[in-house]
């Protein structure tokens, strides 16, 4: 089902961005994968396994979130510029 405000002309002229939707899906999948790898490191046991599991979980998810927020920032800037452009017309 296509969104009610969706317009194929906007899609083909790149005024409608699909990347923010894809980034949200990538985020969910990546968080699951990072968490699973951290759990696997924890299950390996020993001090190294516990430490690496905790570090993978904390820093992996943190760096992923920061990186994807920076990417989304560009799309937010694009939306703000389009809004300013619409107000000037």
């Amino acid at each position: 089902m296509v969104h009610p405000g969706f317009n194929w002309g906007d899609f083909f002229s790149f005024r409608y961005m699909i990347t923010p939707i894809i980034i949200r899906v990538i985020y969910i999948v990546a968080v699951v994968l990072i968490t699973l790898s951290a759990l696997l490191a924890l299950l390996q046991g020993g001090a190294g396994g516990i430490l690496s599991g905790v570090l993978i979980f904390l820093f992996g998810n943190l760096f992923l979130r920061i990186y994807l927020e920076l990417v989304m920032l560009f799309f937010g800037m694009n939306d703000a510029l389009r809004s300013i452009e619409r107000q000037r017309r």
Side-chain angles (χ1 to χ4, degrees):
M1 177 110 202
V2 177
H3 188 271
F6 182 81
N7 180 346
W8 282 104
D10 288 342
F11 178 77
F12 287 117
S13 64
F14 290 93
R15 287 187 296 263
Y16 177 78
M17 300 287 179
I18 61 169
T19 308
I21 297 166
I22 294 171
I23 289 174
R24 288 181 183 101
V25 172
I26 289 172
Y27 176 71
I28 292 168
V29 171
V31 164
V32 170
L33 292 175
I34 290 170
T35 303
L36 286 175
S37 63
L39 287 173
L40 287 174
L42 283 171
L43 292 176
Q44 287 180 354
I50 292 172
L51 180 62
S52 63
V54 170
L55 291 176
I56 289 170
F57 180 76
L58 292 177
F59 290 111
N61 283 312
L62 180 66
F63 288 137
L64 172 70
R65 180 67 187 219
I66 291 170
Y67 176 74
L68 292 180
E69 282 184 9
L70 288 172
V71 172
M72 291 296 289
L73 179 67
F74 290 110
F75 291 99
M77 290 168 39
N78 181 40
D79 290 340
L81 288 172
R82 287 190 188 272
S83 175
I84 292 170
E85 180 184 3
R86 280 191 293 268
Q87 289 176 356
R88 291 186 65 202
R89 290 184 188 175

